Amino acid sequence: MTTDSPHDWKDWGRSVPALRAADTMDTPYDDPAAAAVHLSKAGVADQYAVYEQDGCWYFAAGSSVTLTADAARVTARADGRTWTAPSGTRPLEVFAAALDALAGAGHPDRRFYGWSAFELAHLLHGDPAAAGTAPLLYALVPCVEVSLTPGRARIRAVDEAWARKTGALLTEAPARGTSAAAVPDRAEQLVTDGTAAYGEAVARTVADIRAGLLEKAVVSRAVELPAGPAVDFAATYLAGRRANTPARSFLIDLGGRRAAGFSPETVLEVGQDGRVSTQPLAGTRALGTDPVANGRRREELLTDPKEIHEHAVSVRLACDEMEAVCGQGSVVVEEFMAVKPRGSVQHLASRVTGRLRPGAGPWAAFASLFPAITATGSPKRASLKALTRYEEGPRGLYGGAVFRGSTDGSLDAALVLRTLLGEGQRTWLRAGAGVTGQSEPARETEETCEKLRSVAPHLRYHRS
């Protein structure tokens, strides 16, 4: 493997093979999520991503082309070669330059999939020293991409071999039954684990807010899965997706990170035409099987002063962040304080839209909006400092993003919440709540339990 000049990405762009279209084919899968899971479990490549967006499931695989950024450098790998460039404290700009080189090599519609760790926030808005040394951004330009809708698939691949292999897998009948098992008694134990310590963290955060150090912080707690049968990420994704109503869902094994998630909101959505939007959700109540109780909680949500204040703060800051990259007068609140069902909870939801100003691309918008205000707090710099005081260890993917994009300028990034997370031998869940000066520790603790119930009951384990 050779290492090339760190200051020019042109050779890297020319080294990346382009996807070409293959014929659309019929499949025996009425459920596109099941088809995507089937492909993920078939072992077609060492890395893959499944991403649900606007009623379509996308499966991407193949790891010969990757792009990684940390606090010191951006590294690209393709065709047995490696390119590096120092990132300083602006990795997104270097990362974007590398992706631009892909389009500049004569292929304006190269697709990529990837993730951003929450700790990127420290470089963008906080203390660079807190970003750590682990990768902060990772992207894969796939060898094959499959677009899946009920009974249909469209394959794009770098060559005929990838297209044939993937097409053959999609002709296989859906598996009957499953090799994964649920453990119902374990689920509720996971949900309530560590609640006492979390309540203490909330109380300390409330004290900081009342002392004027910040306005809001989204304090979270991690729930480690105990030793025992290994979690089946693919089976968990399929079971969880059938029980949830996410804005986006994803199943990834990319760059050493695994995740099966049911995202309640997007960090941002950027179209090829420069239209950009973000979807802040803040304010939560449980959502169960009793419609009368759900209606009562919905009314509580719409009239609770704490929830309304928390949501309004999030929308105000989303507007400020959008205006930093959008044309003057283009930022509007298209939807305000709607109530959206998201699995085991219901949220207050708004949508802020705008149009990117000339010279501002999707990654400039990402830099302004990331991390989502609804996973951080306000002001961002002060809330990041508070989170380092009251949360143990780095968040990693939690509160970060999983994304799908193209060199045509489009980018869709899902907020990583309601997600099963894995790295190395460790697997865990995480949930948080927005803490304001009006917060009560018991209520915020219960909110984390409500959110964990979107995932914990659907965990599936490999049978021994």
Side-chain angles (χ1 to χ4, degrees):
M1 179 177 293
T2 60
T3 300
D4 292 279
S5 172
H7 55 77
D8 190 351
W9 293 108
K10 292 180 181 177
D11 287 344
W12 138 261
R14 285 191 290 266
S15 296
V16 179
L19 298 180
R20 60 179 184 80
D23 292 338
T24 301
M25 60 178 288
D26 294 329
T27 77
Y29 289 87
D30 292 329
D31 180 357
V37 165
H38 173 68
L39 291 174
S40 75
K41 299 181 78 168
V44 296
D46 59 342
Q47 297 192 76
Y48 66 82
V50 172
Y51 195 86
E52 176 194 0
Q53 178 183 349
D54 299 332
C56 185
W57 272 255
Y58 298 90
F59 171 82
S63 62
S64 61
V65 179
T66 61
L67 191 62
T68 308
D70 58 30
R73 68 188 62 81
V74 174
T75 303
R77 294 183 174 87
D79 196 27
R81 299 167 65 189
T82 300
W83 294 260
T84 62
S87 58
T89 58
R90 307 178 76 85
L92 269 177
E93 292 184 9
V94 183
F95 193 80
L99 289 171
D100 286 345
L102 299 180
H107 298 282
D109 186 22
R110 278 188 167 126
R111 310 295 173 84
F112 56 84
Y113 293 75
W115 51 256
S116 175
F118 180 82
E119 283 65 42
L120 176 65
H122 295 295
L123 292 185
L124 298 175
H125 308 288
D127 177 11
T133 59
L136 302 173
L137 280 160
Y138 184 86
L140 171 77
V141 180
C143 295
V144 63
E145 181 190 61
V146 187
S147 307
L148 295 158
T149 52
R152 301 284 283 173
R154 181 173 183 267
I155 302 171
R156 301 173 79 232
V158 295
D159 57 34
E160 191 62 32
W162 274 99
R164 284 199 307 267
K165 177 169 61 175
T166 307
L169 288 169
L170 285 168
T171 63
E172 297 175 356
R176 302 291 182 184
T178 177
S179 60
V183 185
D185 293 342
R186 179 179 290 184
E188 190 59 24
Q189 182 181 353
L190 289 172
V191 165
T192 56
D193 184 38
T195 52
Y198 180 77
E200 294 171 2
V202 170
R204 292 195 297 271
T205 306
V206 170
D208 279 356
I209 293 170
R210 291 177 178 173
L213 298 181
L214 69 161
E215 189 173 8
K216 170 188 171 182
V218 182
V219 182
S220 67
R221 62 186 179 95
V223 179
E224 303 287 336
L225 271 63
V231 177
D232 185 326
F233 275 74
T236 295
Y237 170 76
L238 197 56
R241 179 59 187 86
R242 288 169 175 165
N244 274 279
T245 49
R248 300 287 187 270
S249 71
F250 49 83
L251 172 67
I252 65 167
D253 189 343
L254 291 175
R257 306 284 178 96
R258 291 166 291 143
F262 319 102
S263 176
E265 63 185 279
T266 54
V267 179
L268 85 167
E269 303 160 45
V270 185
Q272 186 180 359
D273 61 356
R275 185 180 186 274
V276 59
S277 71
T278 187
Q279 186 188 39
L281 270 66
T284 306
R285 285 293 186 274
L287 184 67
T289 57
D290 183 347
V292 175
N294 289 337
R296 183 182 70 251
R297 296 186 191 110
R298 182 180 188 277
E299 290 306 311
E300 289 176 3
L301 193 54
L302 289 166
T303 56
D304 186 297
K306 183 265 177 185
E307 305 286 15
I308 293 172
H309 174 258
E310 180 187 351
H311 188 81
V313 166
S314 298
V315 175
R316 183 197 73 206
L317 290 171
C319 289
D320 291 345
E321 293 172 347
M322 290 276 283
E323 287 171 352
V325 292
C326 289
Q328 186 174 5
S330 70
V331 175
V332 297
V333 180
E334 288 192 351
E335 182 181 47
F336 183 66
M337 275 183 49
V339 178
K340 300 288 188 183
R342 293 291 185 256
S344 62
V345 292
Q346 50 191 322
H347 291 292
L348 293 177
S350 295
R351 182 171 290 279
V352 182
T353 67
R355 191 161 294 277
L356 292 176
R357 66 170 183 261
W363 292 103
F366 188 87
S368 185
L369 289 161
F370 184 87
I373 196 70
T374 50
T376 312
S378 62
K380 275 188 177 177
R381 186 181 297 267
S383 63
L384 286 168
K385 290 182 178 179
L387 296 180
T388 59
R389 291 195 297 272
Y390 299 135
E391 296 184 349
E392 293 185 8
R395 284 185 171 186
L397 281 188
Y398 176 82
V402 169
F403 53 78
R404 174 181 182 266
S406 168
T407 53
D408 68 5
S410 58
L411 179 65
D412 194 275
L415 177 59
V416 180
L417 303 176
R418 322 294 148 78
T419 297
L420 169 66
L421 300 159
E423 187 173 357
Q425 298 301 310
R426 183 187 175 213
T427 53
W428 70 99
L429 305 174
R430 193 161 192 144
V435 180
T436 71
Q438 300 165 292
S439 289
E440 298 177 357
R443 170 59 205 149
E444 305 302 355
T445 300
E446 178 55 29
E447 182 173 318
T448 65
C449 294
E450 292 166 356
K451 292 172 177 176
L452 287 167
R453 292 188 184 104
S454 289
V455 183
H458 314 300
L459 294 174
R460 298 294 184 267
Y461 300 85
H462 291 286
R463 297 182 187 274
S464 55

